[in-house]
């Protein structure tokens, strides 16, 4: 096992990794920017190192500064958390060449799955369901129009190097497709240095369902069931739950086994999330993409399976075999997570940095808080506005929903505006109660 790891991240996920490592007897080195100086969670690490000024480009995205800190602190491994450098294959490669273990997949598996076209081709080979569309990268307009006429409009143009909704264009006819193709290619070239795109059938009313998987360095891959992340706004998830409330056990097994097959075929080690869209009309699944990192919403999976995902990531990275087999993973009850953001939903979700004078989180049976915030904490303006994740677990979805409402009603935060009130409203909405939602629900409710 590692003696010491560096955490190349900040906030609640840095704290979550510190907690996992501490319970394993692994020492931690936290890094921080000048904007995070004085944050209380840093004191839970064994050592802390300043890596630069507030702007992320000069600190949490600064590979040279992070590697220098890792060398000085003499760590065995780096945990990248989520965001920042977590899916940066170049950073992964730099770690490898410095003989520092990257807690995540190999460079090759990260590159393979990060290339959406290559990932989709592997999926087809492994009989993982994908949207009908182009077989590979599209370079000619005529070819795109030909395929679109074959599969039928609407179609969506996506950047092969994209993800998370960047560089996408929806087209309802060939004129829109031709212009969408050109702008998507230009945008992808500028954003990713790779202008290649692909097209597929566009699904209008979909739910977002994703499978948590984890692999080791001995060829084992296990799924930890699925999460439903349909409740989102502008590609930012608001509420996640597990399991997905609209599929039965047979569909669940199909979906989760397909996801595990895909990452096993990629020789993947570490935690990954295989994203799908679900067509609730036909109960069909289609692969979207694979995220090669731990995700924000991992706690709902931990609550329904009892697996410590962060601990397991560290174990498999150190070369240990997965401590469980697929048959050991049991799904128990229902979990819901609300992302508490310091944003004002009444002012178009404007971020609200500043002093948290009041921060009094809920507790009690079945309630988990993952947060680095506290009364007296000053939210820096430089980063993501998520200040806490409130997670509940109960026997079934309705009991979890009631528990979440109860917990949200206890939560006191001020004077900073947050998304707590919005969560209470969403969880009371009849469409949410009845699972009659899709990925556009929040935008329809609040106005896009
Ligand atoms: C789609 C789609 C409909 N049809 N692909 C957006 C993020 C990226 N991961 C893929 N995305 C989508 N791909 C087809 N063929 C709709 C979306 C999409 C979406 C997906 C998941 C969660 C939120 C979304 C919001 C808008 C569009």
């Amino acid at each position: 096992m590692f003696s010491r790891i560096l955490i190349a991240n900040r906030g609640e996920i840095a704290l979550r990794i510190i907690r996992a490592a501490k319970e394993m007897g692994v020492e931690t080195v936290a890094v921080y920017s000048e904007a995070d100086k004085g944050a209380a969670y840093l004191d839970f690490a064994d050592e802390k190192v300043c890596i630069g000024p507030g702007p992320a480009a000069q600190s949490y995205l600064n590979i040279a500064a992070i590697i220098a800190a890792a060398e000085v602190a003499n760590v065995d491994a780096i945990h990248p958390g989520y965001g920042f450098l977590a899916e940066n294959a170049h950073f992964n490669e730099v770690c490898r060449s410095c003989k520092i273990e990257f807690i995540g997949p190999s460079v090759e598996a990260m590159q393979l799955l990060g290339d959406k076209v290559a990932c989709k081709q592997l999926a087809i080979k492994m009989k993982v369901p994908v949207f009908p569309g182009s077989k590979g990268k599209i370079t000619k307009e005529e070819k795109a129009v030909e395929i679109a006429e074959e599969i039928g409009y609407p179609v969506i143009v996506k950047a092969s190097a994209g993800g998370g909704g960047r560089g996408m264009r929806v087209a309802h006819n060939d004129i829109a497709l031709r212009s969408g193709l050109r702008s998507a290619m230009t945008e992808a070239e500028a954003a990713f240095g790779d202008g290649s795109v692909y097209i597929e059938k566009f699904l209008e009313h979909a739910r977002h369902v994703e499978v948590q998987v984890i692999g080791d360095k001995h060829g084992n891959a296990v799924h930890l069931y699925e999460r439903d992340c349909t409740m989102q706004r502008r590609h930012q998830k608001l509420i996640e739950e597990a399991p997905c409330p609209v599929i039965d056990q047979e569909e669940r097994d199909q979906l989760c086994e397909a996801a595990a097959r895909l990452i096993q075929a990629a020789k993947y080690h570490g935690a990954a999330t295989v994203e799908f869209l679900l067509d609730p009309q036909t109960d069909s699944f289609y692969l979207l993409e694979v995220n090669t990192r731990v995700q924000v919403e991992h706690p709902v999976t931990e609550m329904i399976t009892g697996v410590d995902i962060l601990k397991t990531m560290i174990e498999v990275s150190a070369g240990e075999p997965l401590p469980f087999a697929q048959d050991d993973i049991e799904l128990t009850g229902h979990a819901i997570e609300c992302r508490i953001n310091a944003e004002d939903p009444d002012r178009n979700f404007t971020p609200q940095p500043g002093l948290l004078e009041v921060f009094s989180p809920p507790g009690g049976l079945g309630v988990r808080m993952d947060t680095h915030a506290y009364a007296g904490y000053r939210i820096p303006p430089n980063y993501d506005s998520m200040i806490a994740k409130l997670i509940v677990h109960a026997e079934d979805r309705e009991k979890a929903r009631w528990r979440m409402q109860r917990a949200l009603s206890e939560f006191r935060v001020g004077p900073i505006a947050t998304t707590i009130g919005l969560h209470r409203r969403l969880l009371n909405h009849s469409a949410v109660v009845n699972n009659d939602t899709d990925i556009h629900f929040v935008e329809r409710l609040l106005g896009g």
Side-chain angles (χ1 to χ4, degrees):
M1 183 39 64
F2 304 129
S3 6
R4 217 164 146 76
I5 66 171
L6 180 140
I7 298 146
N9 216 300
R10 64 176 300 280
E12 73 83 20
I13 193 64
L15 178 53
R16 174 71 187 84
I17 298 164
I18 292 169
R19 286 172 168 160
K22 194 166 275 180
E23 291 176 12
M24 301 170 74
V26 173
E27 290 183 0
T28 53
V29 178
V31 298
Y32 65 98
S33 74
E34 284 159 24
D36 282 328
K37 186 177 158 84
Y41 71 89
L42 295 168
D43 296 331
F44 300 151
D46 294 287
E47 199 178 315
K48 58 182 178 188
V49 182
C50 183
I51 50 167
Q58 294 173 69
S59 48
Y60 300 106
L61 290 170
N62 184 342
I63 295 177
I66 290 166
I67 295 290
E71 296 285 2
V72 167
N74 196 26
V75 300
D76 308 309
I78 297 181
H79 199 306
Y82 52 68
F84 298 123
L85 296 168
E87 296 185 88
N88 186 314
H90 169 65
F91 177 61
N92 192 340
E93 173 90 61
V94 171
C95 289
R96 180 162 72 183
S97 70
C98 293
K99 300 193 166 50
I100 300 167
E101 189 68 28
F102 177 86
I103 302 178
S106 68
V107 175
E108 290 72 23
M110 186 181 269
Q111 283 169 334
L112 169 66
L113 297 176
D115 180 326
K116 307 292 172 284
V117 168
C119 177
K120 193 168 169 178
Q121 281 165 342
L122 180 64
I124 293 167
K125 189 177 142 199
M126 297 312 295
K127 303 222 176 334
V128 175
V130 300
F131 281 108
S134 52
K135 296 279 175 287
K137 292 170 185 176
I138 292 271
T139 48
K140 294 195 177 59
E141 267 179 46
E142 293 315 315
K143 185 73 191 162
V145 172
E146 206 177 286
I147 294 164
E149 271 161 14
E150 219 173 275
I151 62 179
Y153 289 97
V155 300
I156 183 166
V157 182
K158 295 181 176 181
S160 185
R166 293 174 308 165
M168 305 191 318
R169 295 287 184 288
V170 177
H172 287 84
N173 55 56
D174 63 337
I175 298 170
L177 175 57
R178 284 173 198 273
S179 74
L181 207 59
R182 276 193 296 267
S183 61
M185 286 168 83
T186 311
E187 190 182 307
E189 181 63 50
F192 318 114
D194 173 4
S196 55
V197 298
Y198 61 108
I199 72 167
E200 57 189 27
K201 180 82 183 171
F202 178 69
L203 179 60
E204 309 249 13
H205 298 284
R207 293 183 71 92
H208 180 170
V209 183
E210 57 183 33
V211 181
Q212 177 71 60
V213 286
I214 190 154
D216 65 20
K217 294 181 177 177
H218 309 274
N220 305 302
V222 169
H223 72 74
L224 302 178
Y225 293 107
E226 82 285 357
R227 299 184 282 260
D228 188 312
C229 310
T230 300
M231 202 62 65
Q232 63 90 39
R233 175 185 171 274
R234 298 194 182 171
H235 303 293
Q236 294 296 315
K237 292 166 186 168
L238 290 165
I239 302 175
E240 304 98 342
E241 59 185 299
C244 170
V246 302
I247 61 173
D248 62 28
Q249 192 55 43
E250 193 183 321
E251 290 163 333
R252 170 167 300 121
D253 290 341
Q254 293 273 321
L255 174 77
C256 295
E257 283 163 23
R261 269 201 313 279
L262 182 62
I263 71 139
Q264 188 158 39
K267 300 195 188 334
Y268 192 95
H269 50 75
T273 298
V274 185
E275 296 188 345
F276 294 89
L277 283 186
L278 166 64
D279 183 348
Q281 250 98 67
T282 62
D283 275 344
S284 307
F285 287 102
Y286 306 94
L287 175 73
L288 279 183
E289 56 195 63
V290 179
N291 300 319
T292 60
R293 60 168 193 278
V294 68
Q295 298 211 157
V296 173
E297 59 272 28
H298 73 275
V300 291
T301 299
E302 295 185 321
M303 302 313 278
I304 62 156
T305 61
V307 172
D308 181 335
I309 294 173
L310 273 300
K311 174 172 182 260
T312 312
M313 285 179 82
I314 296 170
E315 287 169 343
V316 296
S317 179
E320 292 181 12
L322 279 174
F324 43 74
Q326 191 64 66
D327 286 348
D328 299 327
I329 306 300
E330 257 185 83
L331 195 171
T332 307
H334 198 95
I336 305 176
E337 171 178 282
C338 288
R339 295 192 189 189
I340 313 302
N341 293 347
E343 294 172 353
D344 190 346
D346 294 331
R347 289 185 179 73
N348 198 31
F349 293 81
T350 330
Q352 308 283 305
L355 183 65
L356 269 179
E357 288 173 30
V358 179
F359 187 84
S360 178
L365 183 64
V367 175
R368 168 176 170 181
M369 283 297 314
D370 277 26
T371 180
H372 61 294
Y374 48 89
Y377 175 64
R378 186 174 287 278
I379 304 164
N382 311 69
Y383 314 108
D384 188 275
S385 59
M386 191 179 74
I387 53 165
K389 303 187 304 201
L390 171 57
I391 307 108
V392 300
H393 185 233
E395 295 104 277
D396 59 34
R397 185 175 191 265
E398 200 51 14
K399 289 194 172 92
R401 196 179 65 80
W402 276 91
R403 181 160 281 166
M404 181 60 89
Q405 289 288 28
R406 185 273 290 173
L408 288 165
S409 76
E410 293 176 1
F411 213 150
R412 299 280 182 274
V413 182
I416 302 288
T418 72
T419 47
I420 292 172
L422 174 66
H423 285 303
R424 295 182 69 176
R425 177 176 168 202
L426 289 174
L427 288 167
N428 246 343
H429 196 290
S430 62
V432 177
V433 176
N434 299 316
N435 298 312
D436 190 18
T437 55
D438 67 20
I439 52 179
H440 311 295
F441 172 77
V442 179
E443 279 126 340
R444 270 198 308 272
L445 185 73
L446 304 180

